[in-house]
Amino acid sequence: MRYIFLFLAIALWAGGCSRTVMKWFYQTNIIADDYRYGDLYRLSNLPQFKDPQTPCRDTEAPTPTQASDTSNTHLYLIGDSFTEPQRIDQRDFPVSNYQYVHWDNRKEVQLDTTKRNILLLESVERHFREHFSRHVAELTVVADTTKRAIEAAVPWKRQLFDQIQSKGIEERLETVLFSQDLFLWFKELKASINFSWFDRVPPTVGISRDRQHLFVDLDTDTTKHLNSSFAPLSNKEVNALVDSVNATAEQFKKQGFDAVYLSVIPNKASILDPGQGQYNHLIERIQQHPRLRVPFADVYSVYTKQPKQVYALGDSHWNCTGRALWLTSVRELF
């Protein structure tokens, strides 16, 4: 029994410390995916927002009129969680080559000058001010990606220390221990009591005035002045952001891109409850700015026409309808 408990303790510790081990736990179904009902349900555990996540990618395909240009177009995308591989990939675009890099990561690419190389800058509204308040260096064009400096091997002791000190250990340990449905029942009971009796939700989420929609706290908390839909946004900052977008596009065109496009995806609160505070209208002010020289996919105006149909109930991201509308808007740029 001692050895069994020791082995279980080591396995739990390994899952908490190592993302690689955690991924293997998911793949082998040792633990359940705690995002399976949506990230907002995961943060709140309110049962009325429990929404099983379903894949969307099999329901749409690039439009036939664009298919003939597939072999001539290469697409590069700098994006956030909306365009991560589990949501968007090459099958969703009429292109023969597709590469993605997440904001705050770095990637070197080699452009094929015989093709039309397109760069798409995708940002959710709540992170737009952060992304374009600095130099965009997520993507670097090089002459040959096969010629890279050989990095020195990291000693195993250092690797182990880095794993122990890595961020998110407590969160991963909680997932390993309490992600199964049995424990979710207890979490839901606690969350329901707090909500029903005290009208309280966890500080990591916000809730609409009609209590029908959840948002991430970044959408609604005005103390998050770079993120919230309701944080003040001066004309001076809008001008600076537009200039940054223009400069970013020029920078990448000089590196060899034939076209650079912009896509700003609205915060969920901006569409479903814009009257919760004084909405700063960031997306409209950027897209309608007279100095903006970068073509953009306007999904904001599309979403406002059908606000209750584009976001998932228990998640901060779009549902399949919202995803399809975004893809249509982006494909029209090509």
Side-chain angles (χ1 to χ4, degrees), residues 38-138:
D39 57 0
L40 295 175
Y41 168 80
R42 175 179 175 272
L43 293 171
S44 68
N45 292 124
L46 288 169
Q48 62 267 43
F49 298 103
K50 193 174 185 178
D51 183 24
Q53 300 296 287
T54 55
C56 302
R57 64 178 70 258
D58 295 332
T59 61
E60 303 99 17
T63 55
T65 56
Q66 297 168 327
S68 61
D69 297 327
T70 296
S71 62
N72 297 320
T73 304
H74 288 185
L75 174 62
Y76 300 82
L77 195 156
I78 301 175
D80 50 36
S81 60
F82 277 82
T83 48
E84 285 177 340
Q86 67 268 28
R87 294 186 175 91
I88 299 292
D89 64 21
Q90 181 174 333
R91 291 172 291 176
D92 297 309
F93 302 103
V95 299
S96 58
N97 182 58
Y98 171 76
Q99 295 193 47
Y100 167 84
V101 59
H102 200 288
W103 289 100
D104 298 322
N105 291 342
R106 298 290 184 270
K107 189 171 189 176
E108 292 184 347
V109 297
Q110 179 181 349
L111 301 182
D112 183 346
T113 56
T114 66
K115 307 297 182 181
R116 183 168 183 258
N117 295 292
I118 295 175
L119 174 63
L120 176 61
L121 304 168
E122 177 272 313
S123 174
V124 67
E125 183 180 3
R126 59 180 160 267
H127 293 305
F128 182 86
R129 296 165 77 173
E130 295 173 317
H131 294 155
F132 290 99
S133 63
R134 58 170 177 78
H135 176 71
V136 177
E138 276 71 10

Side-chain angles (χ1 to χ4, degrees), residues 190-240:
K190 176 185 176 182
S192 295
I193 291 174
N194 282 332
F195 184 68
S196 301
W197 294 6
F198 307 107
D199 197 29
R200 292 174 55 188
V201 295
T204 50
V205 300
I207 192 164
S208 62
R209 291 169 296 170
D210 62 6
R211 299 305 194 246
Q212 298 300 307
H213 307 287
L214 286 181
F215 314 120
V216 291
D217 65 314
L218 294 177
D219 284 11
T220 56
D221 185 352
T222 55
T223 64
K224 315 289 187 183
H225 67 278
L226 288 179
N227 311 106
S228 175
S229 301
F230 312 108
L233 177 63
S234 67
N235 289 332
K236 181 179 179 180
E237 185 177 356
V238 172
N239 293 339

Side-chain angles (χ1 to χ4, degrees), residues 258-273:
D258 297 293
V260 178
Y261 300 130
L262 175 69
S263 172
V264 187
I265 299 174
N267 293 341
K268 189 176 183 180
S270 301
I271 300 298
L272 297 182
D273 197 14

